[in-house]
Amino acid sequence: MFRFHSISDYHKALQNGQTTCVEAVLFYLDAIEQHKHLNAYIEVFADEALARANELDLFRSQEGITTPLHGVIIGLKDVICYKDHAVSAASKILQPFTSIYSATATQQLIDAGAIIIGRQNCDEFAMGSSNENSAYGPVKNARDTGRVPGGSSGGSAVAVQAGLCMISLGSDTGGSVRQPADFCGIVGLKPSYGRVSRYGLIAYASSFDQIGIFANNIPDAAIVLETIAGEDEYDSTVSSVSVPTYTSALTLPPKTYKIAYFEEALNHPALDPTIKKEITNTIELLKADGHCVEPVSFNLLNYLVPTYYVLTTAEASSNLSRFDGVRFGHRTKKEGLDLTDMYKASRSEGFGEEVKRRILLGTFVLSEGFFDAYFTKAQQVRRLLKQQTDDIFAAYDCIISPTVPAPAFKLGEKNNDPIEMFLADIFTVYANLVGIPAISIPLYTHENGMPFGLQLMTAAFDELTLLQLSQILMAKQDERI
Ligand code: GLN
């Protein structure tokens, strides 16, 4: 029977004739069918994926494997555009809408030989931490279906967790790749702001959003990052910093690193004691291996969540103003309305509760009389954070921290308390506020049986160190098993 461990093993099996792309696609289509109750996919492109697998099998029989993602089966979060395919941001307001172009990342995957198998469930417009804000209903954590998978890229995380694709692309504005990766026990990578083009990614908060990668292991994440990173004439915020060969860097001999952790994070009252114990233990193991691991003081920790929610809701209120019932998707059926009332009715019917809350909040912080007190203040905090971050990375290679203060919670548990839900983003929003790359790696299991991860962050555009150190830690974990 088909089994997937890593892209390189899969390629070996294809080359040896032990499997085919068609067999792989059939395996995943069956797995998706068997796991329908998890609600990870909104739509599966079955016929198309099979046709493409056939083409790839034929191509390989003549030319061999010539591209890095040949036959790799990938799912896309429902905020990443794929030409001639529906995309909805898991919102009623974009039903129906068909993408008229592909995101640059989607096109790069296809050019590298990937097979796109479907679009994955998520929180509406990527706003949420539990995947309970989707117009298509909640996604369930495959480890315990009574628990949330995390959000907003919950469907993409569960698809990798439950073996419903090899890789998923998600988006991370404040933790939406790392937090569900933590809750599901897989790798979740958010690249630096500007590392991957945002062209064709439905915007939530444009100065925070990045496309991110879910994988089972670090080498797979590295191959995909290498494929989708780099310049793009369609996104003026994407960086022209050259893209290193992340994959070959992973085989370099291990070296020792200077690693910092925030005292305030490890002593935070909301931090689950088991998470604290395991991370403290990892710090000791790293020291025993010759790495320098030191506490640094970070007095802005409690400002992160408020700053994030002021700035992202402000950007969202502006980004989402385009969904007015005229140009895209849903328009009210009510008749006899003037233009303003038609906008109001279409938006009231189309957007879900959480999206409305954020549009209102964002409009408020941008409004005359409150702008300076909220928006300008938050921008000032962002600037301070950037300065402190530069100082830290002048002395250290990496910062480690918990990804989330507690493991996956029960479905419905935090749904009625938005503030509590927002506070759980405390450790992830930092990387987006300052634009640095961050990853969650699945190192631990809680007494309650749920997995959780360790978060690593490096200086902007130093994904190389991030991946190298992650690889060292993951290998160490394998030794212990
Ligand atoms: N949970 C955060 C929020 O709701 C992060 C979302 C994201 O990264 N897209 O804003």
Side-chain angles (χ1 to χ4, degrees), residues 271-303:
L271 184 62
D272 178 283
T274 306
I275 299 185
K276 177 173 177 169
K277 188 184 83 203
E278 288 285 5
I279 293 185
T280 311
N281 192 21
T282 297
I283 291 173
E284 292 313 317
L285 289 173
L286 283 165
K287 284 186 190 161
D289 281 350
H291 302 283
C292 162
V293 191
E294 290 174 348
V296 296
S297 173
F298 185 62
N299 56 12
L300 293 172
L301 189 70
N302 287 331
Y303 293 90

Side-chain angles (χ1 to χ4, degrees), residues 121-123 128-134 137-139 148-156:
N121 205 346
C122 57
D123 281 304
S129 307
S130 65
N131 217 130
E132 293 168 295
N133 300 334
S134 164
V139 177
V148 303
S152 62
S153 318
S156 308

Side-chain angles (χ1 to χ4, degrees), residues 77 126-129 151-152 171-176 204 308-309 358 425:
K77 179 177 180 179
M127 297 175 183
S129 307
S152 62
S171 67
D172 189 312
T173 304
S176 277
Y204 159 14
Y308 170 83
Y309 276 96
R358 295 195 192 197
D425 296 334

Side-chain angles (χ1 to χ4, degrees), residues 141-143 149 157-158 160-162 177-188 214-217 408 440-445 449-453 474:
N141 195 312
R143 192 75 71 97
V158 168
V160 170
Q161 175 197 34
V177 166
R178 290 158 288 151
Q179 186 252 21
D182 172 288
F183 281 10
C184 293
I186 58 171
V187 171
F214 292 98
N216 292 292
N217 56 61
S440 180
I441 54 172
L443 295 188
Y444 316 110
T445 307
M450 296 311 289
F452 63 94
M474 294 274 282

Side-chain angles (χ1 to χ4, degrees), residues 203-221:
Y204 159 14
S206 308
S207 76
F208 292 74
D209 298 338
Q210 262 300 282
I211 288 178
I213 301 161
F214 292 98
N216 292 292
N217 56 61
I218 301 298
D220 285 3

